[in-house]
Amino acid sequence: MPGSRDDLTRLRIALTAFFALDGFVFAGWVVRIPAIKEQTGASASALGLALLGVSAGAVVTMTLTGRLVRRYGSHPVTVACAVLLCLSIALPPLTHSALALGAVLLVFGSAYGGINVAFNSAAVDLVAVLRRPIMPSFHAAFSLGGMVGAGLGGLVAGSLSPTRHLLGLTLIGLLVTLVGGRALLRCEPAVPPDRPAAGDEGSPRRLDRRTRRLVLTFGLIALCTAYGEGAMADWGALHLEQDLDASPGLAAAGYSCFALAMTVGRLTGTTLLERLGRTTTVVAGGTTAVAGMLLGSLAPSVWAALFGFAVTGLGLANIFPVAVERAGALGGPSGVATASTLGYGGMLLGPPAIGFMADWFSLPAALTSVAVLAAVAVLVAVATRRAAAAG
């Protein structure tokens, strides 16, 4: 285990850099989805199927990454997945059909799923060692990276082709990975006192039935709220541009508003958790997200929709970090993998589902499903508050 407070601080900084890199790269992809949709000539449902490639790659890899983390440690796995993530982001603009797009997104999704399990596992262990609820601060870095990536995408949307834009993200990402990876690999993992170090476990510890149920409950809460993040990322810009006649640059700003509000919410997350507790924070956040998404999806003007997106981001900000942290505290890397698989599965499976609903009904109607699932997360949190507190 790191031997001093300085060691833990260096580890926290290195992990924060990878959370930010993940958000930056992911946002760079999502703001160019309208252009790539036009390039491939895909319908909304065909695009939804192509986006399923991200989902499939991520969900399968998340299950495997929990085992890799137990065997090799979270730090090497984080760096390896970051390299693959940065390389794969350059592939979508090279495709000219929905089928080819889905194939390359399978690779991108595998890298995205792997890095999320790896660095969340490392962050959960650091939270346990520090004994402070700092998990939202890591996810604030993800949101900040997303805001910067989306803002940059909006600025260059009218002047750079998706190919040049995403290739530039590859180069930036590899540079960050080189610097951050060297720092992370030099840091000793933060190992909670009751957990053996990576490679010391002959097999993952078996969880009792009650603990498994709690892990799955936190995973369900993560799914319901991450669904909204995926919807905003993949369909927010298209909704503003297609339904409200926003310019490409202003449409890209929709995700920036969402990411900025989420960043602010997560930066204050530690304070909220220390003062209000986990359940109250989740319930208040979910209720706020319901109101915000109803406004964002049904508002008749661009500016009202942007305000609704911001309120949604503020509401969803701390729910996912709380769910993953609690699942990891209960089940170690396996708990993180389970909650992340469900949570990021919701984030990545949501956009294809919205694509089909948009074809059947309309995109604004489909986006109201984000509010519905946020309400489900609130109900689950309230119904299981006693068991979760005891766990």
Side-chain angles (χ1 to χ4, degrees):
M1 192 173 82
S4 70
R5 180 67 57 174
D6 288 342
D7 294 332
L8 295 174
T9 299
R10 283 193 291 270
L11 175 56
R12 183 176 180 180
I13 292 171
L15 286 174
T16 299
F18 279 99
F19 273 87
L21 173 65
D22 189 39
F24 177 76
V25 172
F26 187 73
W29 144 247
V30 300
V31 298
R32 300 316 295 256
I33 286 177
I36 293 175
K37 177 180 182 291
E38 182 179 354
Q39 172 184 301
T40 59
S43 65
S45 57
L47 178 63
L49 284 174
L51 294 173
L52 194 60
V54 183
S55 310
V59 169
V60 171
T61 306
M62 283 175 175
T63 304
L64 298 175
T65 304
R67 300 176 186 176
L68 292 175
V69 167
R70 286 193 302 269
R71 182 166 183 177
Y72 300 107
S74 56
H75 297 182
V77 176
T78 296
V79 175
C81 290
V83 172
L84 181 58
L85 182 75
C86 295
L87 293 174
S88 61
I89 191 62
L91 299 178
L94 304 180
T95 63
H96 296 280
S97 70
L99 180 61
L101 178 61
V104 300
L105 290 181
L106 186 68
V107 179
F108 178 72
S110 297
Y112 183 76
I115 193 173
N116 275 278
V117 171
F119 61 38
N120 272 299
S121 295
V124 165
D125 288 344
L126 184 57
V127 168
V129 170
L130 292 175
R131 300 191 179 190
R132 287 194 68 214
I134 63 168
M135 196 70 172
S137 69
F138 291 114
H139 289 262
F142 173 87
S143 299
L144 182 60
M147 182 186 67
V148 173
L152 178 64
L155 289 175
V156 305
S159 57
L160 282 183
S161 67
T163 301
R164 292 183 177 182
H165 174 204
L166 297 186
L167 180 60
L169 296 189
T170 292
L171 298 177
I172 294 171
L174 289 176
L175 179 61
V176 172
T177 301
L178 176 63
V179 176
R182 290 181 64 187
L184 184 62
L185 293 175
R186 288 176 180 174
C187 293
E188 289 294 324
V191 182
D194 61 345
R195 188 177 305 157
D200 292 345
E201 300 181 11
S203 59
R205 63 189 178 98
R206 301 182 68 86
L207 305 179
D208 59 58
R209 182 177 300 178
R210 176 179 174 277
T211 302
R212 286 199 300 270
R213 284 201 302 267
L214 282 174
V215 168
L216 290 173
T217 296
F218 290 123
L220 177 60
I221 291 173
L223 182 154
C224 290
T225 54
Y227 177 98
E229 292 189 53
M232 288 301 307
D234 285 2
W235 294 104
L238 193 62
H239 168 56
L240 294 173
E241 189 172 338
Q242 171 184 288
D243 300 316
L244 299 177
D245 297 322
S247 66
L250 186 57
Y255 186 69
S256 295
C257 290
F258 174 82
L260 174 60
M262 183 166 277
T263 302
V264 172
R266 286 174 170 173
L267 287 173
T268 60
T270 297
T271 301
L272 284 175
L273 288 168
E274 289 176 336
R275 292 184 178 180
L276 302 179
R278 294 183 180 91
T279 299
T280 303
T281 300
V282 169
V283 170
T287 303
T288 301
V290 171
M293 200 60 222
L294 289 176
L295 175 62
S297 58
L298 301 178
S301 71
V302 174
W303 296 108
L306 289 174
F307 178 72
F309 288 174
V311 172
T312 303
L314 195 63
L316 294 179
N318 295 305
I319 303 176
F320 187 89
V322 168
V324 172
E325 184 271 325
R326 292 306 300 150
L330 290 167
S334 296
V336 173
T338 297
S340 295
T341 300
L342 288 170
Y344 286 105
M347 177 184 289
L348 300 170
L349 289 171
I354 287 179
F356 285 111
M357 287 188 284
D359 272 354
W360 295 335
F361 307 105
S362 67
L363 184 52
L367 288 173
T368 61
S369 61
V370 174
V372 173
L373 287 186
V376 171
V378 170
L379 294 176
V380 171
V382 171
T384 61
R385 62 187 182 278
R386 290 184 180 176

